[in-house]
Amino acid sequence: MPLLEPKRRALLRWTTGYCRADFSADLLAGATTAVLLVPQAMAYAMLAGLPPIAGLYASLAPPLIYAVLGTSRRLAVGPVALDSLLTAAALAPLANGDLATYAAAAAALAILAGTFQAVTGALRLGFVVNVLSLPVLRGFTAAAAILIIASQLGPLLGLKLPTSAGMGPLLVALAGQLRAVHLPTLALGLGAVVVLVALGKFRGKALLLVVLATLAGHLLDLDTRGLALLGPVPSGLPLPTWPAIDRELLLGLAPAAALIALISFMEAFSSGLAVARRGEVVEPDQELLALGFSNIAAGLVRGYPIAGGLSRTAVNAQAGARSPLAGVVTAALVALTLALFAPLLATLPRAVLSAIIVVAVARLVDVAFVRQLRRTRPRELVPLAITFGTTLALGVGLGLAFGVGASLLLFVLRTTRPHTAVLGRLPGTQVYRNVLRFPDAETVPGVVIVRLDAPLYFANATYLIDEIRRQISAQGARAVVIDAGGVHDIDVSALANLRDFLGELRQCGVELYIADLKGPVRDILARSGFTRELGPDRFSFTAHEAIQRASAAPSSPPDPRATQAWP
């Protein structure tokens, strides 16, 4: 099998080479994933503030659309915890209003988010996947998981707590209602959590729990004991319809839709990559199109924003899925559930759905990643911590914005203070390495070799030139060699700084040589006239060649017109 698949047609690309054995595997995988999806979809809809049936609606059309347009063979699209939380946060102002308006707004949010994704994919802007660094995404996901768990304390304790006002108001409200905790609800919720944890990796544990809890609700009349049940659940399949909301509300949802579009794409794309096998390519632009039209379809059938969840995608892959047809099988089983079994769910206790949510999202708090980051890149703990803290304190929208800002600030600081190294020659070779890392590297008397490991631009040029000045002064050098192997670009501001620095060196009688210059940078220096000013003989292909020229050249006397000594 080749390392990369050749690019094929955009539609149904997985059908090439499809065989009967693949179909059998997809049937089994689709059924296995449906066992997990049905209870999760209802639970996540409740997390979004919607009737549980909305989660099943959102599980119908997206897998069908994705099977036509998607590029991942195993991605399982449908309701996910993070999108559900973002939906709840976006629709919080409508939480106390008409439920029909709230549901219509959720459907419109899916259509808007899908439109953003589809347009972005059509414009081939899939590189937006790089906007969120991994530490920011992990910090945001961990904080969101804690917020999701906190939002389920009300149903688990039998209390009415705010679910979208942030951790502070929720904890204050909880402290004031602790004496009102409904013990039977608490016992059922904790028992459900224990059962889900005890069953471990058994894939049907959530569905099994739903069936048993529904039977218990019916046989034991749990509603008469004060436990909240789902209540009547409509049966039948939804007909496509445009959500009935006014233009002002639609425009007000646009910022939240853009955020959901980005987050759901990140989640789906990373999940698709995680289960891709050798030779399979997940194309970001095509994934944006596929996910965008899937979200639009979810909104048209009275669902809400969807994505590709990592946990269900992993189950789908482990169950042997070989194509998106497995998702079509999953959608068919969800449709069967809606047609035949939906009314039977009326006696399902809400605390059980909350327990399913808590157990599902607890794994999103990735402590192992924090430990790894502390060992490998401690400075990147800063954006992770900022994202985590601000998301908990200020909510998902502002938390993510602060995290992205912190990540970009760290990037700017890193590029304005880039790495430099003084080089020395390894004995018996023509290889030059950092003298701090290779103690046996030999420096050349009177010549300092400085390697620059960053592009030269307006924000770091002054810093880098100051570093060269410092090394010249410390070693009393009569010549300086700049190893420019790491300089792949130079802007006009840095070029002006370099030209001024050349004049300064000549006033002080210090010769300048440049080695290993990249072609594009060499072209810029030539077009600007700097090559002519410095002299073509001052440019070398290697540091060793530049050192030989610097050592053989006679010393230049300082310019008598210089007004100051070398710093």
Side-chain angles (χ1 to χ4, degrees):
M1 181 179 292
L3 180 61
L4 296 177
E5 284 185 338
K7 206 165 185 178
R8 302 193 182 108
R9 62 189 186 279
L11 304 181
L12 295 169
R13 62 183 64 192
W14 52 270
T15 57
T16 302
Y18 197 79
C19 62
R20 181 176 297 179
D22 294 331
F23 180 69
S24 300
D26 284 338
L27 278 178
L28 177 60
T32 303
T33 305
V35 168
L36 178 64
L37 174 60
V38 170
Q40 274 193 354
M42 293 190 297
Y44 291 155
M46 192 174 74
L47 171 62
L50 293 162
I53 196 73
L56 297 179
Y57 289 162
S59 306
L60 289 173
L64 308 181
I65 302 298
Y66 187 83
V68 176
L69 297 175
T71 61
S72 171
R73 291 178 175 268
R74 296 165 192 83
L75 184 67
V77 295
V80 296
L82 200 51
D83 276 15
S84 301
L85 177 65
L86 291 170
T87 299
L91 303 181
L94 304 176
N96 296 321
D98 180 32
L99 183 58
T101 302
Y102 188 97
L109 193 63
I111 293 174
L112 276 176
T115 302
F116 277 123
Q117 290 169 332
V119 171
T120 304
L123 295 175
R124 305 191 66 81
L125 300 177
F127 61 84
V128 297
V129 72
N130 299 319
V131 171
L132 294 178
S133 67
L134 189 57
V136 168
L137 190 61
R138 292 293 176 86
F140 174 76
T141 303
I146 293 173
L147 288 174
I148 290 170
I149 293 172
S151 72
Q152 298 309 300
L153 290 178
L156 285 172
L157 299 176
L159 303 175
K160 291 185 177 180
L161 299 176
T163 58
S164 57
M167 286 293 291
L170 186 145
L171 293 177
V172 171
L174 177 61
Q177 298 184 45
L178 279 178
R179 294 184 178 181
V181 170
H182 189 248
L183 294 181
T185 300
L186 174 61
L188 178 62
L190 289 180
V193 170
V194 170
V195 169
L196 290 170
V197 173
L199 290 177
K201 295 183 179 181
F202 174 52
R203 291 165 185 162
K205 60 184 179 182
L207 184 62
L208 176 64
L209 182 62
V210 165
V211 171
L212 293 177
T214 302
L215 288 174
H218 175 71
L219 297 176
L220 302 178
D221 293 325
L222 294 182
D223 56 334
T224 63
R225 303 172 187 271
L227 279 83
L229 306 182
L230 282 188
V233 180
S235 62
L237 302 179
L239 295 176
T241 182
W242 187 263
I245 65 170
D246 56 52
R247 180 181 178 185
E248 183 179 352
L249 178 56
L250 189 66
L251 292 176
L253 293 174
L259 176 62
I260 290 173
L262 175 62
I263 295 298
S264 66
F265 171 56
M266 284 287 299
E267 190 170 10
F269 186 71
S270 59
S271 298
L273 286 179
V275 297
R277 295 181 181 175
R278 182 178 176 85
E280 297 175 355
V281 178
V282 183
E283 300 175 10
D285 294 323
Q286 187 64 30
E287 285 297 289
L288 274 168
L289 282 171
L291 201 61
F293 283 107
S294 297
N295 262 309
I296 292 172
L300 292 177
V301 294
R302 291 183 282 164
Y304 70 100
I306 58 90
L310 182 58
S311 59
R312 280 200 307 275
T313 296
V315 168
N316 196 40
Q318 291 167 6
R322 299 185 183 180
S323 78
L325 187 62
V328 176
V329 174
T330 300
L333 292 176
V334 172
L336 185 65
T337 301
L338 280 168
L340 301 179
F341 306 115
L344 302 178
L345 297 171
T347 56
L348 173 62
R350 288 180 175 267
V352 171
L353 290 181
S354 292
I356 292 172
I357 293 173
V358 169
V359 174
V361 303
R363 70 190 67 178
L364 297 178
V365 182
D366 193 347
V367 178
F369 177 78
V370 177
R371 294 196 190 101
Q372 180 186 9
L373 200 62
R374 187 176 61 182
R375 290 194 304 269
T376 56
R377 294 282 291 178
R379 69 175 65 179
E380 295 197 51
L381 286 172
V382 175
L384 186 150
I386 290 175
T387 308
F388 181 81
T390 53
T391 300
L392 284 181
L394 304 176
V396 289
L398 287 175
L400 189 62
F402 271 94
V404 171
S407 193
L408 291 176
L409 180 60
L410 185 63
F411 169 76
V412 170
L413 290 175
R414 191 162 58 239
T415 58
T416 56
R417 297 291 187 273
H419 181 261
T420 61
V422 175
L423 305 184
R425 181 182 177 183
L426 297 182
T429 71
Q430 296 181 6
V431 177
Y432 290 79
R433 290 291 183 265
N434 187 344
V435 296
L436 297 180
R437 293 181 177 272
F438 295 85
D440 58 336
E442 301 169 347
T443 58
V444 180
V447 181
V448 62
I449 317 167
V450 181
R451 190 185 69 216
L452 307 182
D453 295 331
L456 277 167
Y457 75 113
F458 66 93
N460 69 7
T462 300
Y463 169 81
L464 291 173
I465 289 174
D466 283 343
E467 282 294 296
I468 298 173
R469 283 196 190 100
R470 188 171 64 83
Q471 294 300 332
I472 294 173
S473 178
Q475 300 187 33
R478 58 178 176 79
V480 57
V481 174
I482 296 179
D483 185 334
V487 180
H488 58 79
D489 193 17
I490 182 170
D491 70 2
V492 64
S493 301
L495 184 57
N497 283 63
L498 188 60
R499 183 173 274 115
D500 292 341
F501 184 51
L502 175 60
E504 182 182 341
L505 290 174
R506 284 177 172 170
Q507 286 182 347
C508 299
V510 179
E511 299 297 331
L512 174 63
Y513 296 84
I514 301 178
D516 197 16
L517 202 60
K518 296 289 189 290
V521 182
R522 189 166 56 245
D523 293 342
I524 294 173
L525 296 185
R527 289 196 300 267
S528 69
F530 183 83
T531 301
R532 185 179 61 256
E533 293 174 30
L534 180 58
D537 61 323
R538 299 302 180 93
F539 294 88
S540 303
F541 286 109
T542 66
H544 183 69
E545 181 184 347
I547 287 293
Q548 288 181 317
R549 291 184 178 183
S551 301
S555 301
S556 299
D559 190 335
R561 295 172 295 176
T563 58
Q564 61 181 12
W566 184 258

